[in-house]
């Protein structure tokens, strides 16, 4: 551990690195209080049907079973969901996907729980399955939610200029349709938690959650409780990526605890249940028409986007919104007409996932840029530079970019790399039965919740009796390292070493509401609030030190490691001594920050009640070199370079880890990961059939920071949690097109797909 005060801009080991490496850190999955009972859900197993009968008698009679609960046991609305409350805690009559829970069992052991679940016999009368977008949108399609009146959860339009007329005047008009699959988060720690109802009627939940404060309201709404009787603790998460943004185990655990007061209930989904019932990235279909002048200047875009949200809304409308807002890419396009539909089906539930709709749209708009470059015989990188957004431009949604905009610098970083300048020689040196290709992508990602949903955080810092600073984080750390960054910010502001700093994970009793760990907002919003809280703490401590050292005025004091120093005399007042003379309430500082939103609201996108448009964006340009085995279709990613504008870098180590993680997940999206279903039933049920990249599948990613200054951010920072995910799929598709001479329009690009792409070209090189 470093023996100097934290400083912004330097690499520091994560504050939690040692405790995680040694296993000392306790995740929600590690908690096994004495006499814990186990809860589990009986899943429908049928994608669409009417629940006619539910025989639970045998399960209830099984020794060791403490409760078997059905819809009749659920108080309150029995409806959960972040924005749209359309998902039942337990199904009463209608089954909308195979992972729907129909009964909840609580037992004394996991073995008894498994046996009891097997004894429950639901009788479900099957209904026609809405298995895809076309089936859902057919004129006579059965309705997934009859009360909604349509299988379209949300239809919307973002319009700028007159795209249809402009397309008629374009020298070049290209058309293509792209498809992206559903994707599993595949986090290490599956959905889990514990719950207990105490003697005062307070419901205590400890869950692996990205949004503990919102969980209170989601549980309370579903079960008819006051949110102030729900207490949620969120320890470090073993991964989330959006899949724990929204209730998973929370309402089921709470229901079980309400039935068995005083007992601790634990629920932990195994990988198969995670695949069956957890949220997934939305599968999408995107139809594009792009028009340009003969010199390559983009003129008009007409596009149609469809997102499969599965059986329930979750954040489907909001995800579609962000995809549509980014549909024109990080480019100057004068005329844009983007229409979108988020559609109910009987497939697994679509939900939040890193990239949040933009990862899908990036594939489409970058695919169009590659096609345009080939059509015009242009260098694809220079074509992107020609059309790149700069500060002051209006983006595809019609919003003026008034914040830092470093895309062109990202592209120039790629241009100057030997991976780009030496690409021809590298491709020419391909060994026998191998083709090589080099591809690139330019991407961006809006930060924060966007207009219409105040993005606020409240930071609290306390000088403890031991003279240490305790930061009460209110946004969970799911592995991205925000807890360590909070310590670094406080260390910089208070001039303290790591041993003087502690970060407590979110607890709704002791920290303040600060939104979810999502949307690239965590360090930005909470970090700004924390800086202000530290400034207040500094001002307070020097004033208290002046009183205690009998100095007439506080000028001339400064915080140094472990003390407050009076600079004119050199006297130090240790923090322990200072803390011992202050009541606790005088040792606490609280401050808050509200992320700014654009004041230029375009006259479009009116269907979006929340989150449109955005003001601040991170940018990136990715370059990849791939080899294709002509005999097997296998694709090997040889080199990867990511240049990212995330504002100022606070901790290079954490920063590059975020980018590398996003690239790894994005390469899985490009080459391996596609959640397969047939008539609403999962075909890829676990990690034996759903493959994710392992270390040997990944290159040594080179991450380069393009440091702009985002003046509204903490020390100039922007969030980079999302943007790294958006580049790999379009970059790999670009490289494969370069290698094979055939454009890619569907992901993932499996070896079977590659072999089919090779077939028409019988003259394979040797």
């Amino acid at each position: 551990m470093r023996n100097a005060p934290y400083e912004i801009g330097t690499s520091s080991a994560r504050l939690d690195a040692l405790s995680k490496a040694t296993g000392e850190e306790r995740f929600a999955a590690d908690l096994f209080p004495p006499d814990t009972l186990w809860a589990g859900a009986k899943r429908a197993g049928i994608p669409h049907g009417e629940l006619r009968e539910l025989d639970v008698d045998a399960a209830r009679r099984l020794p060791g079973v403490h409760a078997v609960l059905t819809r009749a046991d659920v108080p309150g609305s029995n409806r959960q969901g972040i924005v749209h409350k359309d998902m039942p805690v337990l199904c009463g009559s209608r089954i909308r996907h195979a992972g729907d829970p129909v009964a909840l069992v609580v037992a004394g052991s996991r073995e008894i729980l498994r046996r009891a679940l097997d004894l429950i016999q639901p009788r479900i009368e099957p209904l026609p399955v809405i298995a895809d977008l076309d089936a859902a949108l057919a004129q006579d399609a059965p309705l997934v939610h009859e009360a909604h009146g349509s299988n379209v959860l949300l239809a919307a339009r973002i319009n700028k200029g007159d795209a249809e007329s402009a397309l008629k005047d374009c020298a070049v008009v290209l058309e293509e349709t792209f498809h992206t699959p559903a994707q599993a988060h595949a986090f290490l720690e599956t959905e889990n938690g514990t719950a207990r109802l105490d003697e005062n009627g307070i419901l205590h939940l400890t869950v692996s959650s990205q949004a503990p404060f919102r969980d209170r309201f989601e549980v309370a709404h579903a079960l008819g409780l006051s949110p102030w009787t729900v207490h949620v603790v969120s320890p470090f998460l073993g991964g989330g990526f959006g899949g724990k943004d929204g209730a998973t185990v929370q309402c089921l655990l709470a229901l079980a605890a309400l039935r068995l007061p005083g007992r601790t209930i634990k629920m932990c989904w195994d990988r198969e249940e995670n695949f069956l019932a957890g949220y997934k990235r939305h599968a999408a279909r995107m139809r594009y028409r792009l028009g340009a002048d003969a010199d390559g200047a983009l003129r008009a875009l007409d596009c149609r986007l469809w997102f499969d949200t599965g059986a329930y809304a979750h954040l489907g409308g909001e995800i579609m919104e962000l995809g549509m807002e980014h549909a024109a890419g990080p480019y100057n396009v004068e005329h844009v007409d983007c229409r979108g539909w988020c559609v109910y089906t009987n497939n697994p539930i679509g939900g939040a996932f890193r990239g949040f709709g933009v990862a899908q749209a990036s594939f489409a708009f970058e695919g169009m840029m590659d096609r345009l470059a080939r059509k015009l015989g242009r260098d694809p990188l220079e074509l992107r530079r020609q059309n790149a957004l700069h500060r002051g431009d209006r983006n595809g949604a019609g919003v003026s970019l008034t914040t830092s905009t470093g895309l062109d610098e990202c592209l120039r970083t790629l241009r100057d790399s030997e991976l780009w300048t030496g690409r021809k020689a590298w491709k020419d040196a391909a060994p026998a039965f191998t083709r090589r290709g080099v591809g690139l992508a330019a991407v961006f990602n809006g930060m924060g919740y966007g207009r219409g949903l105040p993005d606020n955080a409240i930071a609290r810092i306390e000088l403890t009796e031991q003279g240490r600073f305790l930061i009460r984080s209110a946004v969970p750390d799911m592995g991205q390292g925000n807890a360590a960054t909070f310590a670094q910010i406080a260390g910089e502001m208070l001039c303290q070493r790591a041993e003087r700093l502690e970060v407590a994970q979110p607890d709704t009793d002791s920290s303040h509401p600060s939104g979810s760990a999502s949307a690239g907002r965590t360090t930005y919003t909470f970090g700004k609030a924390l800086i202000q809280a530290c400034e207040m703490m500094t001002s307070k401590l020097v004033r208290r030190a002046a009183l205690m050292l009998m100095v007439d005025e506080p000028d001339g004091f400064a915080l140094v490691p472990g003390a407050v120093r009076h600079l004119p005399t050199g006297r130090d007042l240790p923090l322990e001594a200072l803390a011992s003379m202050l009541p606790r309430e005088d040792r606490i500082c609280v401050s808050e920050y509200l992320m700014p939103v654009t004041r230029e609201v375009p006259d479009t996108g009116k269907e979006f009640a929340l989150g449109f448009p955005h003001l601040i964006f991170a940018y990136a340009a990715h370059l990849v070199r791939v080899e294709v085995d002509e005999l097997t279709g296998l694709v090997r990613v040889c080199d990867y370079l990511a240049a990212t504008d995330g504002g100022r870098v606070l901790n290079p180590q954490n920063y590059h880890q975020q980018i590398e993680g996003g690239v790894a997940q994005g390469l899985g999206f490009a080459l391996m990961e596609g959640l397969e279903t047939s008539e609403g039933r999962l075909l890829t049920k676990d990690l034996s059939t759903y493959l994710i990249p392992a270390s040997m599948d990944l290159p040594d990613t080179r991450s380069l920071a393009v440091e702009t200054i985002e003046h509204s951010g903490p020390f100039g920072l922007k969030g980079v949690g999302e943007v790294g995910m958006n580049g790999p799929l379009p970059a790999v598709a670009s490289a494969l097109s370069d290698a094979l001479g055939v454009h890619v329009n569907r992901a993932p690009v499996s070896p079977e797909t590659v072999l089919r792409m090779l077939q028409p070209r019988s003259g394979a090189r040797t």
Side-chain angles (χ1 to χ4, degrees):
M1 193 68 72
R2 57 183 289 120
N3 191 31
Y6 275 129
E7 290 183 356
I8 292 300
T10 61
S11 284
S12 302
R14 294 191 181 195
L15 201 65
D16 50 297
L18 184 62
S19 62
K20 286 182 176 175
T22 60
E24 181 184 352
E25 191 65 55
R26 312 306 289 173
F27 295 76
D30 295 320
L31 303 179
F32 297 94
D35 300 323
T36 293
L37 301 178
W38 288 85
K42 178 70 177 181
R43 304 287 173 180
I46 287 176
H48 199 194
E50 290 288 344
L51 180 60
R52 296 300 188 192
E53 186 178 348
L54 186 63
D55 184 355
V56 299
D57 290 344
R60 282 179 172 150
R61 290 195 300 268
L62 185 69
V65 170
H66 290 253
V68 179
L69 307 177
T70 66
R71 167 65 185 94
D73 299 299
V74 183
S77 68
N78 190 38
R79 286 292 182 274
Q80 56 185 335
I82 297 174
V83 178
H84 307 272
K85 307 291 187 186
D86 63 356
M87 185 161 67
V89 179
L90 291 175
C91 293
S93 57
R94 188 70 171 268
I95 304 300
R96 295 184 175 87
H97 87 116
D100 266 341
V102 297
L104 179 66
V105 176
V106 185
S109 72
R110 298 190 85 170
E111 174 57 23
I112 297 172
L113 173 64
R114 185 189 62 77
R115 290 166 54 195
L117 290 172
D118 288 343
L119 292 172
I120 295 175
Q121 299 295 324
R123 187 171 69 82
I124 301 171
E125 183 176 316
L127 294 172
V129 176
I130 310 299
D132 55 37
L133 293 167
D134 291 331
L137 296 173
Q139 191 168 15
D140 56 349
L143 298 180
V144 179
H145 293 269
E146 291 183 347
H148 185 67
S150 166
N151 286 331
V152 177
L153 166 66
L154 179 66
R157 182 183 188 188
I158 293 176
N159 188 52
K160 185 178 79 165
D162 185 351
E164 191 59 40
S165 297
L167 282 167
K168 295 175 182 173
D169 297 331
C170 289
V172 179
V173 177
L174 300 173
E175 297 187 30
E176 185 61 274
T177 300
F178 299 86
H179 305 264
T180 58
Q183 184 184 18
H185 300 82
F187 31 65
L188 188 63
E189 180 194 26
T190 55
E191 298 88 341
N192 78 95
T194 59
R196 183 177 65 87
L197 184 68
D198 73 14
E199 60 278 10
N200 298 315
I202 302 299
L203 182 62
H204 302 275
L205 289 161
T206 300
V207 288
S208 188
S209 169
Q210 293 177 229
F213 284 92
R214 194 180 58 222
D215 287 347
R216 289 191 306 179
F217 292 91
E218 203 165 345
V219 169
H221 180 273
L223 302 181
L225 305 173
S226 163
W228 314 117
T229 65
V230 182
H231 167 219
V232 183
V233 176
S234 176
F236 280 105
L237 279 68
F241 313 118
K244 296 172 183 173
D245 190 2
T248 54
V249 300
Q250 288 88 327
C251 294
L252 293 169
L253 275 170
L255 176 62
L258 290 175
R259 174 52 67 97
L260 297 164
R263 299 300 302 265
T264 299
I265 316 293
K266 187 175 183 70
M267 172 176 270
C268 185
W269 293 2
D270 59 21
R271 187 62 65 185
E272 288 74 13
E273 190 168 19
N274 159 251
F275 269 66
L276 178 64
Y279 307 119
K280 309 292 181 296
R281 185 187 302 282
H282 290 69
R285 181 172 68 198
M286 298 160 285
R287 192 171 71 216
Y288 269 58
R289 280 197 302 154
L290 178 67
D293 292 336
D295 66 355
L298 301 182
R299 291 287 308 282
L301 171 67
D302 176 277
C303 61
R304 304 289 183 265
L305 280 61
W306 294 267
F307 288 79
D308 181 349
T309 199
Y312 300 106
H314 194 261
L315 287 170
E318 291 67 35
I319 290 164
M320 180 183 76
E321 179 278 313
L322 206 65
M324 293 175 63
E325 188 178 346
H326 291 71
Y331 302 115
N332 260 309
V333 187
E334 186 177 356
H335 303 277
V336 175
D337 186 358
C338 178
R339 303 184 193 217
W341 296 266
C342 192
V343 180
Y344 286 120
T345 66
N346 295 123
N347 287 323
I349 308 166
F353 201 135
R354 191 181 205 170
F356 208 79
V358 187
Q360 293 94 317
S362 300
F363 180 39
F365 65 71
E366 283 302 274
M368 297 306 291
M369 291 301 286
D370 276 338
R371 285 158 175 78
L372 181 61
R374 181 166 294 180
K375 178 73 175 180
L376 297 176
R378 290 285 306 277
D379 179 312
L381 192 151
E382 292 303 325
L383 182 67
R384 285 168 168 85
R385 286 197 63 210
Q386 176 186 350
N387 291 287
L389 287 169
H390 295 82
R391 200 169 181 181
D393 293 338
R394 285 192 173 88
N395 66 16
V399 174
S400 296
L401 299 175
T402 58
T403 58
S404 64
T405 308
L407 177 62
D408 189 52
E409 183 60 25
C410 292
L411 286 165
R412 282 191 283 147
T413 302
L414 264 56
R415 180 199 62 186
D416 298 338
S417 165
E418 74 280 5
L419 297 179
W420 184 250
T421 58
R423 63 189 185 283
K424 183 176 185 308
W426 182 76
K427 289 193 294 184
D428 290 345
F433 302 106
T434 301
R435 298 192 191 187
R436 286 177 168 174
V438 181
L440 51 85
V443 293
F444 65 152
N445 210 108
M447 265 182 56
Y449 295 151
R451 192 175 182 86
L453 183 59
D455 195 330
N456 193 60
I458 307 172
R460 168 176 163 151
I461 187 167
E462 176 180 355
L463 175 65
T464 68
E465 292 178 342
Q466 294 75 34
R468 306 177 75 222
F469 291 100
L470 171 62
I471 303 156
R472 292 207 173 272
S473 171
V475 280
D477 188 330
M478 51 184 163
Q480 73 272 50
N482 58 293
T485 305
F486 296 157
Q488 190 165 3
I489 289 173
E492 165 74 32
M493 295 298 298
L494 302 171
C495 191
Q496 298 302 311
R497 302 186 183 107
E499 66 267 19
R500 289 278 179 180
L501 298 162
E502 180 181 354
V503 181
Q505 288 301 292
D507 181 324
T508 58
D509 274 0
S510 56
S511 50
H512 298 267
S514 294
S516 56
S518 63
R521 63 173 294 274
T522 305
T523 303
Y524 176 96
T525 312
F526 191 85
K528 284 287 286 189
L530 180 59
I531 288 172
Q532 294 171 177
C534 289
E535 290 172 340
M536 295 166 63
M537 178 65 76
T538 300
S539 176
K540 175 181 287 190
L541 293 184
V542 299
R543 288 175 180 276
R544 300 299 182 269
L547 293 175
M548 293 168 193
L549 294 178
M550 304 294 285
V551 175
D552 290 333
E553 53 188 27
D555 294 343
F557 282 89
L559 266 71
V560 296
V564 179
R565 178 171 296 166
H566 184 235
L567 299 174
T569 62
R571 287 185 295 170
D572 282 356
L573 180 61
L575 291 174
E576 295 88 334
L578 183 56
S580 69
M581 290 182 276
L582 300 178
R584 188 183 182 203
E585 58 268 25
D586 201 29
R587 290 186 273 111
I588 296 172
C589 289
V590 177
S591 186
E592 64 183 292
Y593 181 74
L594 181 64
M595 183 184 288
V597 295
T598 179
R599 297 184 177 181
E600 180 187 31
V601 182
D603 186 27
T604 190
K606 296 183 182 302
E607 299 84 358
F608 303 125
L610 305 172
F612 177 80
H614 288 71
L615 174 64
I616 304 168
F617 296 83
Y619 297 86
H622 288 197
L623 184 155
V624 65
R625 304 207 303 190
V626 303
E627 281 186 351
V628 179
D629 187 318
E630 293 179 341
L631 303 179
T632 66
L634 283 172
V635 176
R636 186 172 78 89
V637 181
C638 303
D639 302 286
Y640 204 99
L641 171 61
T644 308
D645 162 26
R648 188 179 178 193
V649 178
L650 305 193
N651 182 328
Q653 179 175 291
N654 278 6
Y655 179 93
H656 295 305
Q657 287 173 349
Q658 278 273 51
I659 302 303
E660 291 164 6
V663 169
Q665 202 161 35
L667 288 174
F669 190 42
L671 293 169
M672 294 183 175
E673 301 183 49
L675 195 83
E676 295 185 17
T677 58
S678 175
E679 291 299 306
R681 295 176 185 269
L682 268 180
L683 300 178
T684 46
K685 299 179 179 179
D686 54 37
L687 293 175
S688 69
T689 50
Y690 182 93
L691 302 183
I692 61 175
S695 60
M696 297 300 288
D697 299 311
L698 298 171
D700 289 330
T701 297
R702 291 171 57 187
S703 169
L704 299 177
V706 172
E707 288 197 84
T708 60
I709 296 296
E710 174 44 54
H711 295 283
S712 68
F715 303 106
L717 165 145
K718 296 189 286 190
V720 294
E722 310 264 350
V723 72
M725 174 76 213
N726 301 335
L729 171 55
V732 167
S734 173
L736 288 172
S737 297
D738 185 45
L740 306 176
V742 181
H743 287 300
V744 176
N745 66 357
R746 186 182 295 269
V749 189
S750 65
E752 293 82 358
T753 302
V754 172
L755 289 175
R756 283 197 296 272
M757 293 168 70
L758 284 165
Q759 282 176 357
R761 302 172 63 84
S762 56
R765 289 184 297 159
T766 60

